[in-house]
Structures are given as structure tokens and as C-alpha cells.
Amino acid sequence: MTEERVVGVGAGALGLGAKELATEDMILNIGPQHPSTHGVLRLRLTLDGERIATAEPIIGYMHRGAEKLFEVRDYRQIIVLANRHDWLSAFSNELGVVIAAERMLGMEVPPRAVWARTLLAELNRVLNHLMFLGSYPLELGAITPVFYAFRERETLQAIMEEISGGRMHYMFNRVGGLKEDLPLGWLDRAAQAVAEVRRRLPDIETLIFGNEIFLARTRGVGVVDRETIMQYGVSGPIARASGVDFDLRRDDPYLAYPELPVKVVTRSAGDCNARFEVLLEQAKVSLDLADICIERLRELPQGPINQRLPKILKVPEGDTYAWTENPLGINGYYLVSRGEKTPWRLKLRSASYNNVQVLREILPGNLIADMVAILGSMFFVVGDIDK
Amino acid sequence: MARIPGAGLAKGLAVTLRHMLRRSVTQQYPQAKPELPPRSRGVIALVEENCTSCMLCARECPDWCIYIDSHKETLPAPEGGRPRQRNVLDRFAIDFSLCMYCGICIEACPFDALFWSPEFEYADGDIRNLLHEKDQLGVWAATVPPPPPHDPGAPPPKELAAAATPAREPRAGRDVRAIRPPGSLKREDPS
């Protein structure tokens, strides 16, 4: 190593002692409008040169008061709002609300509805993961993977649109089941779409995953350790990439998950690369689960897909907490009812909210350029943070 | 993973090359129209004749984007009858700049007056032009596709189930002829 020597510091530094030769820290705002923060997340960084000294996520630019709005909506109208906070996992968001309401009502959901819900939730998970599998390389400067990801998304979205009529906000769950029955031949088309996506998913993998530039930008960058994960309540693929072996589909199964062989994907590295890898693996696992669901739906005896509901649905007095494993992590609804047709309180625990808090721990010490890599690998949706 | 430097890049480029030789999946939208499934939520269409202006849709709408005005009209008494009142729909408008496309109004409508249509090409440069009145909503009613048939696992539709159940036998001891035909009984004049 060569020795570092300061030759001159310029006239401006004359008044400084040797210790304060360092420049003044700079405060840099990333966002609320910035291409690397997909959405309106604002980060206030204190920079020491190129290095981040402190980072603070400032949230709330997209706060829509969803929880307060829930209190003046009946249980069908809540679904409209609930599927919008995380617009990439709309189906899973709806699920939590209806599961909470059904539990309070003591309502049993017909088996066909349970399996169809599980199938749609898994397809929704693949859709969500594909979005991030495409957008993350895009943030790192690789533009092609997003086209491949969107082609797969389109295949699955066609399936979702055929059954629910919506491409993002499915609005397909109802208390007691699903809105409508499956169209004729939909299961065949769903199976075909799943097979197609499974066949073409390795394209994204070979395209980017072994790429040296991608590896250089992600490996060993933004490492989160298990301890921090537990302290901040980080969940979902980010937690599993740091070796937290926790998945509600296996550990507190809802819907048809007790009967499904849910493989929980974990990695131990905890860096950006591991997080991307977990996402890729989870997409494959979800496709397998979707196949099992399709097979089961074919075999199930004829039966209804929803319950007949009263004109005015009132949930009995009490409270319950329903949590689901959303694509981005744990999504929970704490429902308090006073026996009226609207909830008295519906607390929303969204995955991204907890997941971005950890940024203040992992960003300091990194370079500005790595911030983009870390931010992208936290897989958040700003609507899910701000609620 | 000690490999030849650049092997990952080369593998990625091989994927690109393979795809360059394949047919593109892109649809040239304005020239080629997308084929949308019948359940597609494009626009809400109104069959005006079926609407009784009961306001259920407007009340159920989560963001109150349906505007209904109506007045009562008294129909002249038919032969041997009495004058009837009915609701006349003056205005039915949906503000698609507020609409969240949830479909609750369509579900709530008890008279089959509202339907989803996959029609989607009504974007406008001015947000105020997204408020569509009943004449435009009626035009869209022509584009409503028939609903898709259901999966074999689904129970038969309730209309068919109702038609399949045999008609009830007249109860024993009850004279069918005693049921009077409509209009056979004169209403007593209160005056």
C-alpha cells in the first residue's frame, strides 16, 4: 500500500485545525420524487463525502387514511380500500379482511372457495415477485429483465382478469367466499399459464442472476443481520434472506395451506443478492403450489363458491387479529367490531411499513451508489408504507 | 464460483439472442385491439329501462360517484283501475374520474340495470369530461358481453334450479276456482 499524504488543503481550510480537516456533512434528500424510490418515499441522508452517515426514511407523502376510512365502510366496501394499500398484492390484502370478518361471524367458507382463494393468492404472489424481479435489475441499470418479467406478468394477469375482471385490484373476495364462480375452462387456462411462466422463468434467472455486474453490485451489499430483522419486525422475503425461517403459510396456516407442502425459502447471506434469490425461488415455489391448487379444484365435488349473505352484514361484537403471509411480508388486520355493519376499528399492519424502517440501520456506512441497490432490494410498495 | 470472467454476461446475451429470433409478444395496440374477457371491468353500462331510480347503487358506492335525479309521475288511471305513480329517471351519471371500478353498484342493483362492459377507450384530456350521463352509459350497454358459462364444479345457476323444481301441487281441500281472476272484484268507492 502506498502512503496517503495531504499536500495542501486550500485557503478555505486555513482556519481549521488538523482534526477538522474533514469536510462538513451534507444533508441530501432523496425523494419524495426520485427515480430510485419507486413512489414517494423520502430519505434524508447525511453524507460524509460519498458515504452515508445517517439515513432516515420520511414517510407519509401518500397517506390516504385507509384505517380511518375503513371505519365508515361496510365489509364489502372495505375490500375496495383494502386491496389498494399494496397495489401489487391486492388479492392477499383482501384476504385478510374477509378472513377476519369470517372468523368473527363463525362462518365456514365452502371448500371450493378456500382452494380457489389459495390458488389466486399464490398467482398474486408470483405476479408481485415478478414485478420486483423485473424492477430491481432495472434500478441497477439492466433494462432488459423488466421486459421479460412483464411478459410473464401479462400471462398471469390475463388469467386473473378472466376470473375477476380486474388486472390489479381484483375485488374478488367477499365475506364467505368469492364473488363469482370460475368461468368454464379457466382452470385449464390457468394451468397452461402457470406452465408457461415456469418454463420461461429461468430466462430472467440466466439473464441477470449470473451476471457479473449484477453480482458486483449486490453481493455483500446491504447486509441485514438476523438480530436487526427481529428488532424491527421485518418479515417476508427480506427476513427470510437473512435466515429468519418464518412463513405464516407454514407456521400459522390459513386457507388451504395446512394441506399444502409449503417450502419456505431461506438464505443466510442477508445481502441484496440473497434477497433477490429468495424472491426468485419463492416465485417457483408459488407456481408449484398453484399447480397443486388447480389439481385439487378439479377434483373437488360440485358445490357453491360463496355463502348467501344477509342484505346488511353485521359482524358480532368482539375483536380478532387476522394475519396473512403477503408477498412482501406479514400483513395483519386487527378488527374490532361493536356489532355494527362497519368495524369500530380496523388496524392495518402492513409489511412494507416495518420493512423500510430497517433502512436507517443498513444504509449508514454505504456509498450513495449502493443506496439504490439496497433500496431496490427492500421490495416495498409506498402505498403499503403510507397506508 | 471460479468461472471465466464474463461468462454470466455471455449467458445473459445468449438469452437475448434466442429471443431475438422468436416472434415478439407485443401487440400493436391501436391497430390490433386486445381481446378482453367478458368479466373485464372496463366501463359501467346502464340499461335505462330497467332502472327504477331506487338509489341503491348511489348509496352503496364507496366514493359516491353516481348521481341520480328522478321525479314521480302519475300515470292516468287505466280502464277500471286507479292512477299509478312511477319514478321517472331524469339523470343518471357516473363520474369515472372518481369511480374506483369496484363493481359494488352492479352487485347492488336489484333490477339488472347496471352491467360491466369491457369497453375501455374513453380516456379524455380533461378530467371533467369523464362525467358520463345516461345517454352515453346507454350506448355502452350495447357492448355488454354475455356472462361466461361456469366451471363444471359450480352449482347450476339459480334460474335453472328454480325451473327444474316441480310446480307445487294445489293444496288439498282448497278449491282452485276460488282464486279470483284479477280485476273481478270492484273496489268499493270510499265516498
Side-chain angles (χ1 to χ4, degrees):
Chain A
M1 284 299 279
T2 47
E3 199 186 326
E4 199 174 302
R5 192 170 303 227
V6 179
V7 195
V9 290
L14 271 181
L16 296 169
K19 276 239 168 114
E20 292 106 39
L21 270 180
T23 46
E24 206 176 300
D25 283 353
M26 182 170 110
I27 291 183
L28 181 68
N29 280 299
I30 305 282
Q33 303 286 333
H34 192 272
S36 81
T37 69
H38 30 121
V40 281
L41 176 74
R42 178 178 160 206
L43 285 174
R44 191 164 62 199
L45 307 176
T46 316
L47 297 180
D48 179 9
E50 280 276 296
R51 221 163 266 283
I52 298 166
T54 59
E56 191 191 353
I58 298 168
I59 60 167
Y61 287 93
M62 229 177 105
H63 182 62
R64 291 152 292 175
E67 288 178 11
K68 204 69 197 164
L69 289 171
F70 289 155
E71 291 169 17
V72 286
R73 297 287 189 282
D74 67 30
Y75 289 94
R76 185 166 53 181
Q77 293 172 332
I78 284 174
I79 298 170
V80 188
L81 291 171
N83 71 23
R84 277 164 164 79
H85 66 258
D86 175 0
W87 48 78
L88 290 177
S89 30
F91 194 85
S92 319
N93 295 341
E94 295 173 8
L95 264 181
V97 178
V98 291
I99 287 175
E102 280 157 11
R103 194 181 296 161
M104 298 268 279
L105 285 159
M107 190 181 264
E108 201 167 312
V109 183
R112 287 186 69 233
V114 172
W115 282 95
R117 274 179 180 179
T118 318
L119 167 60
L120 291 168
E122 286 308 317
L123 290 179
N124 192 200
R125 190 181 312 277
V126 182
L127 274 172
N128 175 298
H129 286 358
L130 278 171
M131 179 77 216
F132 285 104
L133 287 174
S135 77
Y136 184 49
L138 185 69
E139 275 157 27
L140 294 179
I143 198 168
T144 321
V146 76
F147 301 135
Y148 289 75
F150 265 78
R151 182 189 57 186
E152 314 314 334
R153 267 175 68 84
E154 195 54 47
T155 316
L156 291 175
Q157 259 177 344
I159 292 300
M160 295 300 271
E161 188 180 11
E162 192 189 341
I163 190 168
S164 72
R167 291 165 62 81
M168 274 186 106
H169 302 301
Y170 308 111
M171 190 58 199
F172 201 52
N173 275 299
R174 290 293 180 276
V175 175
L178 293 173
K179 180 180 168 238
E180 280 173 297
D181 216 298
L182 321 174
L184 184 66
W186 181 81
L187 283 175
D188 299 328
R189 286 187 285 277
Q192 201 186 341
V194 168
E196 243 169 76
V197 172
R198 183 183 292 118
R199 183 169 56 80
R200 295 190 303 214
L201 199 60
D203 275 0
I204 300 179
E205 201 175 341
T206 36
L207 197 62
I208 194 72
F209 201 58
N211 188 307
E212 279 82 3
I213 304 168
F214 180 78
L215 289 179
R217 298 259 350 236
T218 56
R219 199 168 273 169
V221 173
V223 180
V224 202
D225 59 350
R226 211 189 126 85
E227 198 56 35
T228 322
I229 295 274
M230 301 307 259
Q231 284 168 353
Y232 276 82
V234 178
S235 56
I238 304 165
R240 287 193 281 276
S242 299
V244 179
D245 191 10
F246 182 69
D247 190 320
L248 285 177
R249 291 178 292 169
R250 182 198 61 194
D251 299 326
D252 184 13
Y254 51 101
L255 294 182
Y257 289 117
E259 293 176 52
L260 284 172
V262 183
K263 189 177 149 228
V264 181
V265 184
T266 53
R267 291 289 180 275
S268 53
D271 58 359
C272 295
N273 195 53
R275 291 194 274 273
F276 191 76
E277 208 180 335
V278 167
L279 222 56
L280 201 57
E281 275 301 307
Q282 279 196 11
K284 291 179 190 164
V285 169
S286 288
L287 288 173
D288 293 343
L289 292 178
D291 262 345
I292 301 172
C293 291
I294 292 172
E295 282 316 305
R296 277 302 286 266
L297 273 168
R298 281 192 221 274
E299 292 161 10
L300 283 175
Q302 202 178 45
I305 204 148
N306 47 22
Q307 298 265 8
R308 275 185 67 85
L309 294 178
K311 272 247 152 55
I312 294 168
L313 182 74
K314 286 185 174 171
V315 166
E317 224 174 291
D319 61 315
T320 188
Y321 182 65
W323 55 353
T324 53
E325 183 71 34
N326 266 30
L328 299 180
I330 296 168
N331 190 77
Y333 291 98
Y334 182 56
L335 170 63
V336 184
S337 174
R338 293 202 169 167
E340 292 177 10
K341 64 174 189 173
T342 60
W344 187 73
R345 175 90 166 95
L346 188 59
K347 166 76 177 78
L348 167 63
R349 185 257 192 240
S350 58
S352 304
Y353 180 77
N354 286 57
N355 291 359
V356 297
Q357 305 301 330
V358 80
L359 280 174
R360 80 171 66 214
E361 291 284 333
I362 59 174
L363 281 179
N366 280 297
L367 292 171
I368 280 273
D370 286 338
M371 181 211 74
V372 180
I374 297 169
L375 211 57
S377 76
M378 293 311 288
F379 312 128
F380 59 84
V381 167
V382 177
D384 203 26
I385 302 170
D386 290 348
K387 300 189 251 194
Chain B
M1 279 211 283
R3 295 178 307 180
I4 321 153
L9 287 172
K11 258 169 77 182
L13 282 172
V15 174
T16 312
L17 199 67
R18 258 205 315 275
H19 276 270
M20 255 170 71
L21 304 171
R22 285 214 197 113
R23 188 173 272 278
S24 153
V25 291
T26 321
Q27 290 173 2
Q28 298 300 323
Y29 158 61
Q31 288 85 35
K33 302 271 175 191
E35 251 182 65
L36 294 173
R39 282 182 187 174
S40 232
R41 300 203 298 261
V43 77
I44 298 165
L46 169 76
V47 180
E48 204 188 321
E49 298 76 44
N50 289 357
C51 180
T52 61
S53 45
C54 69
M55 306 289 288
L56 274 178
C57 53
R59 266 192 288 169
E60 282 290 312
C61 178
D63 46 4
W64 306 295
C65 69
I66 303 179
Y67 308 105
I68 299 176
D69 281 337
S70 68
H71 67 271
K72 279 211 160 75
E73 207 169 67
T74 311
L75 292 181
E79 191 66 39
R82 60 188 168 88
R84 303 273 170 149
Q85 277 197 328
R86 68 181 192 106
N87 287 324
V88 182
L89 189 66
D90 294 325
R91 180 177 187 230
F92 191 104
I94 299 179
D95 192 343
F96 284 103
S97 63
L98 292 177
C99 178
M100 298 208 291
Y101 295 81
C102 65
I104 285 179
C105 50
I106 292 159
E107 248 182 288
C109 181
F111 301 107
D112 286 344
L114 290 171
F115 294 95
W116 275 118
S117 157
E119 198 61 41
F120 63 94
E121 293 166 310
Y122 55 97
D124 205 286
D126 191 334
I127 198 165
R128 285 166 294 187
N129 296 343
L130 286 173
L131 178 66
H132 287 295
E133 299 291 335
K134 66 179 180 196
D135 41 347
Q136 179 58 48
L137 300 176
V139 170
W140 279 320
T143 64
V144 175
H150 282 176
D151 194 72
K158 62 177 191 292
E159 289 83 358
L160 284 183
T165 47
R168 243 190 314 174
E169 294 286 313
R171 259 185 290 170
R174 192 165 168 199
D175 192 358
V176 184
R177 280 165 303 173
I179 301 170
R180 52 178 164 27
S184 62
L185 191 75
K186 283 272 171 325
R187 277 177 74 87
E188 272 173 53
D189 206 347
S191 57

